[in-house]
Amino acid sequence: MFDPHLPHSAVIDRRVQESPGIFSLRLQYVDTHVQDIFEFKPGQFNMLSLFGVGEVPISIVSDPDDSHFFDHTIRVAGRVTEALSRLQPGDRVGIRGPFGRGWPMAQAEGQDVVVVTGGLGCAPLVSVIRYLLRRRDRFGDIHILQGVKNEDDLIWRRQYELWSREHGVNVQLAADMPGKAWPWQQGLVTELINTLDLNLEKTVSMLCGPELMMLAAIAQLRDMGLADQQIWLSMERNMQCGFGQCGCCQVGPKFVCKDGPVFCYSEVADFLGAKGF
Amino acid sequence: MSAQHIAARRPGFMERERLQDFLDVFRLLGYRTLGPVVEEETIQWREVDTIDALPTGVHARQGAGEYRLEEQSDDRLFAWNHGPQAIKPLLFSAEETLWHERLMADGQVDIKQTLPEVKPTAIFGVRACDLAALALQDRHFLSQQNPDPHYRVRREALFLIGVDCAFSAATCFCTSTGDGPSLGEGFDIGMAELDDGYLVWGGSAKGGEIIDGLSLEPATEAQLNSMIQGTDRAAAQQHRFLPGETELKQLYDKLNHGHWDEIGERCLSCGNCTAVCPTCFCYSTDYHRTLDGRSAEMKRQWDSCFSQTHSSMGQFMLRRETALRYRQWLTHKLAGWQEQFGRSGCVGCGRCITWCPVGIDLTQAVAALLDGGLADV
Ligand SMILES: Cc1cc2nc3c(=O)[nH]c(=O)nc-3n(C[C@H](O)[C@H](O)[C@H](O)COP(=O)(O)OP(=O)(O)OC[C@H]3O[C@@H](n4cnc5c(N)ncnc54)[C@H](O)[C@@H]3O)c2cc1C
Ligand code: SF4
Ligand code: SF4
Ligand code: FES
């Protein structure tokens, strides 16, 4: 019987230091059969474990069509991610997954996509951006909006610069407290949203970041006329199992790991931002 | 108990003296037999070989934060109302290893599932509320997209001999949740204890075969009446209750009610309530190296929405205040479960009331929280 607790060994094929605190791992299952049947959607995540150190939930950022490997981009946040950052090609990790529900890529076909990220991390949306860029003709305009507090918080600057050079992609960055050399906006990500000329008939927005930022962005998007069904977000909670069993990730009646981590705003509106959830 | 319910049972009568033979049947069939035994002044599930080990004439006096066993002059073996644990720990272990791995000389790791070794196990004296809770745990651990192999192995080895409750503790309120005091479903053999013996009937094909093998006389009219009197008495002894499920859903409209803070001042955040609750399923995992450094294992242990770690994400804790933890527990149990499992997560066993060291009573909490807030139902 399939055991959802049991990890499969994967070997690091490549390691890229994206910025001082961020690195990417390209992984491949040791067992080729496991690699062959591994399928995922943008927004889904794996539970990544390091021998006897710990296990953490990490989004999959590679393209679902790349079937020979999969990528994770990880920010050093604490004990386990720090230990993972020291791994080199040839080293092994344990993988369970993929888990959760991904982004509404089918709903987004033929539509403009507004990607809003904030704070330090945007990994769950990296997969979306890559997915859109690789299938450029199937989607309308792509807006990538990122807000940070300090200029230095834009920890993956190079990546945003690369995206901004792509055709039909509008990258806008805002820093609340920018330094002198900051070439983009000063202010909040909501002000970036405000500058968009949204086509309300055919837009999907996807959000990821600190919940206060997402709440502000949602309020702004709704003010501009987007319906709740057009607003999607990815959430993070304490995850021990990843598949709806341990109970630790619950937000009201939702299991973030299984019902999410990507939610339509209407599904979590009652609890998002409510103290204690 | 409805006429239909009684008719469906078609029980046979077994004198109390034959109970040892009945127990022996299971031992002969290769079962480990668990039954109620008095230990540490409570009723616990322990291995029993002889009927003498069962608690004769023992009744349990329970109240908020109170549990005391008392001996009465009757010969009943199942007059007690449940001890601190239902069937949960026998299936969802309080702590267990999920897998084990070894680092090999060539750098490979060898990962092995560590399934529990189980013997077929027959449990004597399971109550209606225990079975209702079991059905919910089955749904959680088995009917999901990713069923739990550890729970399954133990579950498949179980044979359940249920017994109607003929008495209620003061903390019981299963009539109001619809889960007792008479056995509903989910048992292999059902029993009702009378003054001089037992009415027994099959609840599953396996159970039916065993009952057929006993060649019992069908119950008399008088015996059937005693059976009904038993559960009627148990029901009449209950005075606590919860409102209906529609009303319970409104707890989510009461998130800012002042009563949460009142409870938060009393609650010790000890997690006793979640440990004794037969439906609570939260756990955390612990992945560590063993002493030799070349092996590691993944363990899981019961967690609780009252623990420090349950709502922690690194430095950030969603529920630092006890009031928020209690609110999480109660709203999830009574309202959240309805969306997740199609019914409230409370089967009315009252354990969380009995085993709370400061006597917090969820039925009172609900009454206070919903008081005056039911205008629109
Ligand atoms: C669905 C999901 C997808 C994620 N995807 C990514 C990703 O692609 N890249 C990435 O860098 N990070 C991602 N994270 C966050 C990542 O899981 C945490 O940074 C990581 O758990 C921190 O562990 P640590 O031991 O290094 O840090 P510590 O601060 O030491 O964490 C201690 C424990 O707290 C919990 N914890 C801490 N931070 C988080 C968090 N943000 N979310 C959930 N639990 C947390 C974990 O159980 C962790 O083991 C994701 C989180 C979730 C829930
Ligand atoms: S919430 Fe309390 S009364 Fe209800 S099932 Fe759990 S322990 Fe029993
Ligand atoms: S309600 Fe009672 S049993 Fe539950 S955590 Fe609080 S003090 Fe402990
Ligand atoms: S991570 Fe275990 S239930 Fe969601």
Side-chain angles (χ1 to χ4, degrees), chain A residues 20 22 69 130 237:
Chain A
I22 303 184
F69 58 83
R130 292 186 175 156
R237 285 293 178 274

Side-chain angles (χ1 to χ4, degrees), chain A residues 238-249 255-258:
Chain A
N238 174 19
M239 291 187 179
Q240 302 287 302
C241 70
F243 54 92
Q245 196 181 67
C246 74
C248 296
C249 69
F255 291 96
V256 173
C257 64
K258 179 180 75 160

Side-chain angles (χ1 to χ4, degrees), chain B residues 6 62 76 80 87 113 120 129 142 159 163 202 208 224 227 242 248 271 293 295 297-298 300 302 323:
Chain B
I6 303 156
Q62 302 192 40
R76 288 178 179 248
W80 46 273
I87 308 167
Q113 186 188 37
C129 60
L142 299 179
F159 188 101
V163 59
L224 288 176
M227 171 175 85
L242 277 181
L248 290 176
S295 340
E297 61 180 5
M298 179 67 91
R300 75 168 158 200
W302 289 357

